[in-house]
Amino acid sequence: LPDPSEFPFIDPPEMKLINDGYRLLQELKAVDESRRITSSGKQIAALPLDPRLARMLLAADHHRCLREMLIIAAFLSAQDPRERPQEAQQKADQHHASHADLRSDFLTVLAIWKRFHDSAEQLSGNQLRKWCREQFLSFIRLREWQEVHSQLREAVDELGLRPNQMDANYADLHQAILTGFLGGIGTLEENREYLGARSARFVIAPGTPLASKPPKWVVAASLMETTRMYARMVAVVEPQWIEAAGEHLLKRSYSEPHWEAQRGFVAALESTALYGLVLSAKRRVNYASVAPQEAREIFIRAALVEGQSDIKADFLAHNRALIHQVEAIEARIRRRDVLVDEQAQVDFYLQHLPAHIHSATALNGWLREQRLEVQSLRMTLKDLLRRELAEFDSATYPEFVECNGNRLPLHYKFEPADVDDGVTVTVPEPLLAALQPERLAWCVPGWRLERITEILRALPKALRKQFVPIPQFAAQALQELATQDNPTHWLAQWITQHGGTVFNANDLQALSIPTHLNPYVRVEDFSGRMVAQGRDLRRLLRETQVAVAAAPPQPLVMAQTDNLRAWDCGDLPLAHEVQRNGVRFTVYPALQDRGDSVAVVELSNAVQAEQVLLGGVLRLLVLALPQQYKFARQQFAGNRELMLLGQGSSGQQPLAEALAERALREFFLREGQPLPRSQQEFGEMIERQRGELNEVVVAFGNTVSAVFKEWRAVRQAMAKLNAPVFKEALADIELQLASMLPGDFLQTTEQPWFGYLPRYMKALARRLERLSGNVARDAQLMQQLQPFLTHYRQLQARKSLRQNELHKLQWMIEEFRVSLFAQELKTAVSVSAKRLNEQLELAQKEAA
C-alpha cells in the first residue's frame, strides 16, 4: 500500500478520508499477516514434504503457478530421472541438452515432464520404455516422479488449493521457488564465483547451461561441496524477487534523510540486505513511514523554516515577513544577536503543529480542515527576538536619503565578504551629479559614532596621540556634529582645532576606514539597468560622464513634437524640472537634427544639450533658407580645384553639402553668440544677417582651399623623408595631423582656430624642410613640447563632457609648435611654457 503523501497531486477535500482509510488498511494488513502465518504453519504441516518444498507450494498458490510447482516439488522429492552411463556420457549430455532451458533448470524439469507425458499419450508401454532409453531417462524414476506428483496433488486438494489453468510466467514461478530456497541465493563476483547467503561462496556446477554465462543473481535448489562448493538446479532471479520472498528476514538501513521539495515529503535512501547480501542500495523511500518524528522535524526545518517549498499559507507569509524585518534590523545595527536561530523556529512549529504533519500534503490537508486561519502558527516579534532592541530607532537608521526633492532608497546589508556590504543607495543616472559625497558619507546617523571613531584611529600617529582616549573624543565630536550641515568639512576643522595640526576635508576623505562605512552607490537608468556602481562617488561621476561623452548624445525623453521642418515648438528653456518614474530631476531641452527635420528632445547634461541644439538650429536654417543653402552648395561644387583638393576628406557628407552647412553656420551662428531658443530669436537672427552670405562663402572657401593645399604639400614633404632617422619626428607629425584634421573637422573645428589651420600647415612644412638638415635640433625642440602633449592626450582620453579648456589647450599647443619650429610665421596668441602650464591646470580642473 503506497503512502498517500507520495502523491502530491491528490488535493481533494476527501484527503482526510483517504488518510483514515490508509491507516485502517495498514491495521487490517497486520491482522491478516498474523492469521496467514498461523494458517500457513498448519498447511505446511499437512503436506508430506520437506518444509521448504511445502512453503513453495503455498507460495505457488498465491502466485498462480501451483500446477508447475507440483511438478517441480515432486521432482525435487524423487530421484533425478536423467541417466549418464559411463560408456555414453557425451551422447547422454546431448540428449539432455535438448530439454535444457538457458535461464532456469526448473524450467528444464517442466520440459522433461511435458515431453514424457506427450510421448506416453502417443506410445505403447514398450515404445515408451524404448523412448526413455533413447533419451537417457529412467522409466522407473519417471513413474516414481508421477506417483509423488499424484500424492501431492491429492494433498493440496484436501487443503483447498486449486492449480492454475493458464501457464505461469517466469517471474511468478521463481518468486514462489525463492520462498523455499532463500538460503541458495547468490550474487556474482569475480572469476564466475558467487557470494551466497551467510558469506558462502560457490560456483555453478559444470554441465548446467548457466555455467557458461553466469548471470548476476541466481537461486539454487542445492549446494554440494566436493573439491569446492557447487550449485545445482540453478535459475536466474531478480533481487527484487528475493526481497519480496524474504521480506520477513530483510535487514533495512536508512541514510541521508532529506527534504524532497518537488514531491513535498521527506525522503531517505534505503538499503536492504538478506543473509549479508545487499539486494538494493540507495533506494529513495518516504522517511515518514520509517521515522515519523525525525521526518517531521526535517520537514519543518526545510519546508517551513528554510523556505524550500512552494507551500502557500498565510501564516508562512506572515512569519517570513517578520523574519525579514528582524534581519533588516540586524543589517542596520550590524549585529547577529537579535534573530533567534533556526532551531528555535523549528521548536515553535513542533509545538504548534499536530504530530502527524510530516509532508506538504499532510499540512495542506490539515489547513483545509481548519475553517479559520490558524492563529497559533503566526509568530510574533517576541517569538523571534533574543533580546530587547533599545538601541534601534528607525530615524537613526533611515530607509531613504533626500536628493533634490527625491527620496533615494537605502538598502542595508551585513555581509562583510560581499562587495556591497554596508548601505547601498540606488540613484537614477540624472541625479548622480546632485549627490554630494561629503553629505552622503554621513547618511546613516546610527553609524556616525563608529565612523568618527575609525577616522580618529586612522589619523597619523603624531596627530592621533592628541585624541586619546579615542572613544571619549569620538563621543564628544558626535554631540557637536548633530547640528552641522556639512559633517566632513566640520570634522576636518574640529580635528585641526583639537589636534593643533592643519587637517582639511581632502585629508579626511583620504583616510583608510572600514569599507562598509562608505555608502555603496548603484547608478541605474530609467529601465532599472545598472549603469555603474562603487563607493567612490567622484569616480562614478567621471565614468558616467566619460560614457556619455564617448557616445552620441542620447535624449532622456523624446517629446511629442517630432518631424519639425520649422520652429513650431514654442520656446526652449535652458533647463526645467520634470518628474519621471517617480524621480524629480533637471532636463535640458534641445532641437535634435534628424536629417530632413528636427525633434524636441530632453537631455541630462547642459553641455550635450548645447551641442545637440547647434545641430538642430543649423538644420532649421537649411530648411528655412533653401535658396541661400543652394547658392552656397553650388558655389562650392563649382570650385573644381577645391573639390579635387578635398576628395575623401568630408566625412559622411558630400564635400559641397558639408561646406555649405558650415558656411551657413559661419554666417548666422557666430562664435560667442547665444543660440536661439525661441521662434522670435530664430527669426531675428535670420533677418539680422541677410545679404552678406556671398562674402562668407568666398572667404570660407579660400580658407578651406588653403588648408587642403598646405596639407598636400606636407604629405609630399613627408613622403621624401623615408630614412629611419626621421621615423620619430614623422610619427609625431602624423599624430598632429590626425588631431588637427579629423574626418569631421569641417563641422567640429571652432573659430578662430579654423582660420589658423593654413598657418599651422605652413609651420609643419617649414619644420619638414629644416628636419632633413638637423634632426638633433628637431628632437631638442620636441623635448620642450612633449610634456604638454602627454598631459593633453591623457586628458583627451578621459572624454569629459566639459572640454572647453582642453580644446583651448590643444590650439595653444599648436601655437607653441609655430613658435618653436616656424617663428617667422608668428603666433596668433601669446604662448610660452608658463602659459601652457597655466592652461593645463585649467583643463585638469575642468576634467576633475
Side-chain angles (χ1 to χ4, degrees), residues 17 38 79 109 127 241 247 263 312 585 653 670 717:
L17 180 61
T38 303
Q79 293 188 32
V109 170
Q127 290 174 333
W241 302 348
E247 183 177 4
R263 302 180 68 182
K312 301 295 188 296
F585 59 97
Q653 279 182 296
R670 303 285 175 85

Side-chain angles (χ1 to χ4, degrees), residues 49-90:
L49 272 176
D50 183 318
R52 295 177 300 170
L53 301 180
R55 179 69 184 89
M56 289 164 51
L57 287 175
L58 295 180
D61 179 60
H62 173 71
H63 287 284
R64 298 178 299 279
C65 58
L66 183 58
R67 185 183 67 189
E68 289 82 1
M69 191 60 73
L70 284 169
I71 299 170
I72 294 171
F75 174 85
L76 295 175
S77 300
Q79 293 188 32
D80 191 336
R82 290 171 290 189
E83 294 180 332
R84 194 168 180 266
Q86 188 71 27
E87 67 279 2
Q89 291 183 357
Q90 185 176 359

Side-chain angles (χ1 to χ4, degrees), residues 173-451:
L173 177 62
H174 287 79
Q175 286 186 66
I177 290 172
L178 280 167
T179 61
F181 296 128
L182 286 173
I185 60 174
T187 181
L188 183 64
E189 292 196 332
E190 296 179 351
N191 300 323
R192 301 191 178 188
E193 186 177 52
Y194 283 84
L195 175 64
R198 303 181 182 88
S199 301
R201 294 188 174 273
F202 61 86
V203 295
I204 298 175
T208 304
L210 292 175
S212 60
K213 192 176 181 181
K216 177 63 178 175
W217 285 92
V218 296
V219 61
S222 67
L223 297 173
M224 299 182 61
E225 186 172 5
T226 55
T227 55
R228 62 187 308 181
M229 188 80 74
Y230 289 102
R232 301 184 182 278
M233 287 298 295
V234 182
V236 179
V237 293
E238 297 294 335
Q240 58 266 32
W241 302 348
I242 303 173
E243 196 172 343
E247 183 177 4
H248 56 294
L249 300 173
L250 290 179
K251 290 187 177 180
R252 303 177 185 271
S253 60
Y254 300 90
S255 62
E256 301 180 32
H258 60 281
W259 169 246
E260 286 278 351
Q262 291 185 345
R263 302 180 68 182
F265 67 91
V266 179
L269 302 181
E270 179 189 58
S271 296
T272 58
L274 179 64
Y275 298 142
L277 297 180
V278 178
L279 301 177
S280 65
K282 296 187 176 181
R283 179 171 57 197
R284 188 172 280 103
V285 297
N286 189 339
Y287 195 53
S289 61
V290 180
Q293 292 304 317
E294 186 178 348
R296 179 171 179 253
E297 184 168 346
I298 294 173
F299 160 69
I300 289 174
R301 182 180 301 277
L304 304 185
V305 176
E306 297 177 2
Q308 301 178 33
S309 74
D310 56 356
I311 298 174
K312 301 295 188 296
D314 291 342
F315 77 88
L316 272 182
H318 168 82
N319 294 347
R320 287 169 184 168
L322 208 58
I323 290 171
H324 291 159
Q325 179 181 340
V326 178
E327 288 175 341
I329 293 174
E330 286 187 327
R332 283 167 164 80
I333 65 175
R334 298 188 67 79
R335 296 180 63 174
R336 293 292 189 207
D337 59 350
V338 178
L339 180 66
V340 297
D341 59 12
E342 284 189 355
Q343 187 57 48
Q345 299 174 45
V346 171
D347 293 340
F348 173 86
Y349 287 115
L350 286 173
Q351 179 181 354
H352 293 89
L353 276 174
H356 70 278
I357 304 298
H358 49 66
S359 67
T361 303
L363 176 62
N364 289 331
W366 178 74
L367 289 175
R368 279 192 298 271
E369 293 176 5
Q370 315 302 313
R371 295 186 178 182
L372 300 176
E373 167 67 16
V374 185
Q375 296 297 327
S376 62
L377 294 178
R378 283 177 169 258
M379 294 179 177
T380 63
L381 279 177
K382 184 179 179 181
D383 297 318
L384 293 173
L385 295 180
R386 293 184 181 179
R387 60 181 181 82
E388 295 296 330
L389 289 174
E391 74 274 25
F392 179 76
D393 179 8
S394 57
T396 308
Y397 302 93
E399 296 183 1
F400 301 94
V401 62
E402 295 288 336
C403 178
N404 280 13
N406 297 281
R407 303 178 72 189
L408 304 181
L410 296 177
H411 173 71
Y412 296 85
K413 189 174 185 179
F414 184 26
E415 296 293 342
D418 290 357
V419 67
D420 57 345
D421 176 47
V423 63
T424 297
V425 55
T426 302
V427 54
E429 188 176 1
L431 291 180
L432 181 60
L435 282 179
Q436 299 179 5
E438 297 83 0
R439 290 179 172 83
L440 183 63
W442 303 86
C443 65
V444 183
W447 294 358
R448 288 182 177 180
L449 178 60
E450 181 184 3
R451 184 177 184 85

Side-chain angles (χ1 to χ4, degrees), residues 652-717:
Q652 298 179 351
Q653 279 182 296
L655 180 58
E657 292 183 9
L659 290 170
E661 290 187 5
R662 180 60 191 257
L664 289 179
R665 173 182 166 184
E666 291 288 323
F667 184 61
F668 289 102
L669 304 173
R670 303 285 175 85
E671 294 296 332
Q673 292 183 357
L675 293 173
R677 289 190 167 270
S678 68
Q679 185 177 16
Q680 180 180 352
E681 292 178 356
F682 181 73
E684 291 175 353
M685 178 190 68
I686 293 176
E687 291 299 326
R688 185 170 58 248
Q689 302 293 344
R690 280 189 185 275
E692 305 173 7
L693 181 60
N694 184 49
E695 296 179 8
V696 173
V697 170
V698 173
F700 186 69
N702 291 337
T703 301
V704 176
S705 294
V707 171
F708 286 149
K709 286 179 182 179
E710 298 297 339
W711 175 72
R712 290 191 179 276
V714 168
R715 281 297 180 190
Q716 291 172 0

Side-chain angles (χ1 to χ4, degrees), residues 131-142:
W131 178 86
C132 289
R133 287 194 299 271
E134 292 173 351
Q135 298 296 320
F136 291 91
L137 297 173
S138 170
F139 179 78
I140 296 174
R141 292 177 184 174
L142 286 169

